Amino acid sequence: MEYLVQKIGMSRMVGAQSVPVTLLKVLESKVCALKENGKALVAYSLYKRHNKAIAGQQKKYQLSKEFNRFATLSGPEELGDLKTDALESAHKIKATFYTKGRGFSGAMKRWNFQGGPAAHGSRFHRRLGSIGNREWPGRVQKGKKMAGRYGNEKVTCHNEVISFDKESKILVLKGSVVGYAGAYGRISVQKEKK
């Protein structure tokens, strides 16, 4: 069963041993149409985006104006509000988010390169350095670690569920989840292996 969530941020549970936790808010979603292979079209609210295509979908599925985004999730079996019963008994969660985007970054920031001496006129401080070889192969080889776009990659991690509040729809996971506070992602409930 999959759900759309927003990362609230990180905190910790204080007890005999302090445990770092991540707080996720499960977004209110409506199941619009059931598809093949156990998948369903789901509508949810995100920003104030509105155009004629969205209006047509809202009219087709009799949705209010706040439900202005659509996604395909696996698991829902009934039309109407997406039920969160599976989260109450869940022990493990698979969370998928995008990492923080850091834009175009140099080789030292992106790949943890050491760089050159800081002083004494070396004129080689934060640059990449030599990238080629000798006569053979006479080109820069594929996969060479260089400056470029860093971050904004899809990452999936597995976390243990500590608690879920049905009223506020807040899910507490043990450990960290990638992405900035306020990032949107999706989670899926992992089945217990027997």
Side-chain angles (χ1 to χ4, degrees), residues 7 14 20 26 39 43 46-47 50 84 86 107 115 130 144 147 152 166 183 188:
K7 182 175 175 179
V14 181
V26 179
K39 300 202 172 200
L46 185 66
Y47 311 126
H50 198 75
T84 56
S130 177
K144 173 69 182 157
N152 198 28
K166 195 171 183 179
S188 61

Side-chain angles (χ1 to χ4, degrees), residues 31-36 38-42 71-77:
V31 180
C32 300
L34 299 173
K35 297 182 173 183
E36 298 172 3
K39 300 202 172 200
L41 181 69
V42 172
T72 304
L73 300 179
S74 61
E77 296 171 351

Side-chain angles (χ1 to χ4, degrees), residues 85-128:
D85 299 337
L87 290 172
E88 292 177 44
S89 58
H91 296 292
K92 294 246 175 165
I93 288 288
K94 185 168 84 170
T96 303
F97 281 83
Y98 280 89
T99 59
K100 287 182 185 177
R102 294 169 176 85
F104 194 97
S105 302
M108 283 180 69
K109 182 175 181 178
R110 190 179 182 205
W111 300 110
N112 272 344
F113 283 1
Q114 187 175 344
H120 300 295
S122 69
R123 293 168 62 187
F124 168 53
H125 303 298
R126 296 185 62 87
R127 292 186 306 169
L128 182 62

Side-chain angles (χ1 to χ4, degrees), residues 117-174:
H120 300 295
S122 69
R123 293 168 62 187
F124 168 53
H125 303 298
R126 296 185 62 87
R127 292 186 306 169
L128 182 62
S130 177
I131 60 171
N133 297 326
R134 300 178 97 171
E135 186 178 357
W136 187 90
R139 61 185 168 83
V140 178
Q141 294 190 342
K142 283 185 180 179
K144 173 69 182 157
K145 292 179 178 177
M146 301 175 81
R149 189 177 283 182
Y150 175 39
N152 198 28
E153 295 174 339
K154 189 188 274 190
V155 175
T156 300
C157 51
H158 299 263
N159 295 73
E160 193 179 309
V161 177
I162 291 180
S163 68
F164 175 66
D165 185 16
K166 195 171 183 179
E167 287 182 17
S168 61
K169 292 190 175 181
I170 291 179
L171 182 69
V172 181
L173 301 180
K174 185 178 181 181

